Amino acid sequence: MKEKILFIPPYIAPLKYFERFIPHLGDSYAIAFLFVGRDSARQKEMVSYAEHKNYEFYILEEGLPEVRRGRYIPFLTPLRERYIHSKACVELLKKVNPQKIIAHKSRYIFDTIYKEANKLGIETIVLQWSSEASFVERFPAPQPLLKRFYFFALEIVSGLLDLFHEEPRYGFMPGVPKKIIVFTKAKADSYLAKGYDPDTIHVVGSPDFQLIRELKQRVDTDSAFKKRLLEKYDLNDNKIKIVVILYRFYLSPPREHKMTVEEHVEHYYHLFKIIRDIFPVNTADVVLRMHPSENNMEGIYKPYETLGVQLSYGPEAKTD
């Protein structure tokens, strides 16, 4: 019987990233997915996709916060939820019996599944899946003083309860993975700065380079496959292909680079004008790859079409 790897994606994009490893792992491992969280649009999207691809998957939601219809009892309610969730994690891990679990982080809401897996001797792995966008500093909305005091007190109480556990069960501390796999030394240094064991951190580069190389080889050797791609994306075989993946400056960059939506659109308009000055329409196809969260915002990028820029959005932006 094959050993099992349990991938834990938070939404559809990481799921499809992890999916890319199946052809390379499928001969040696059984692959399954775990969706942690309450019923949501993101979870429904993952479930629908997994069902369509006939993947083995599980849903873990017991003990996680939901829209509360009853009373919230300070301290008791969150600690009880953490206890219920930890027990549910143990039950699921014993039922599925994975030898490895892999997610892109071991913080909440994945912290408990990592802690319980460590107790059961399961190899726990954090695998970087996206670019260095995670280095961008984010600025959450400030909380009222009373709320901050409550969470501080809750942290003290949960810390006292966790004195009886090797890894915190009640506190919102990240699980400690046995392996941390990252693309760059800079990312490795960020984990070292947080106190992680250097022997557990491995810099491997982005797997996309190997995956893209394999795709490029297929495009070069399979003319029918290449023709389908050109038709699918309305590209000209005789032109240079330029793909621009934009950063959403209007969303969450450092304060000094924050833009309004209008400034963001104008910024990239000037970028595309520069590209077109160098690569006229008759020499290059230029494609703007939108972030999936912008699927209902394609209208803001319509001015780019006057420069001969193709907009890639909708289902395509989420799948290929």
Side-chain angles (χ1 to χ4, degrees), residues 45-57:
E45 191 174 33
M46 290 192 293
V47 168
S48 175
Y49 186 79
E51 289 176 340
H52 175 70
K53 300 298 287 284
N54 200 30
Y55 291 144
E56 178 183 351
F57 69 91

Side-chain angles (χ1 to χ4, degrees), residues 4 6 89 93-94 97-101 113-114 116-125 178:
K4 179 173 288 186
L6 192 62
C89 288
L93 290 170
K94 289 182 175 180
N97 191 31
Q99 281 65 53
K100 306 175 191 293
I101 65 170
I113 191 76
Y114 268 74
E116 299 301 339
N118 284 335
K119 292 177 188 176
L120 295 173
I122 298 168
E123 185 175 22
T124 51
I125 301 170
K178 302 301 183 187

Side-chain angles (χ1 to χ4, degrees), residues 17 21 125-129 179-188 200-210:
Y17 180 78
F21 296 102
I125 301 170
V126 162
L127 173 64
Q128 182 181 353
W129 81 275
K179 289 182 180 177
I180 300 171
I181 302 174
V182 297
F183 297 171
T184 64
K185 183 180 182 300
K187 188 68 171 177
T200 66
I201 302 171
H202 306 271
V203 180
V204 301
S206 172
D208 280 336
F209 289 115
Q210 178 180 340

Side-chain angles (χ1 to χ4, degrees), residues 193 227 299:
K227 184 173 183 290

Side-chain angles (χ1 to χ4, degrees), residues 91-110:
E91 291 176 6
L92 182 136
L93 290 170
K94 289 182 175 180
K95 171 187 172 183
V96 178
N97 191 31
Q99 281 65 53
K100 306 175 191 293
I101 65 170
I102 301 176
H104 78 297
K105 65 178 181 179
S106 59
R107 302 191 305 271
Y108 183 82
I109 56 175
F110 304 135

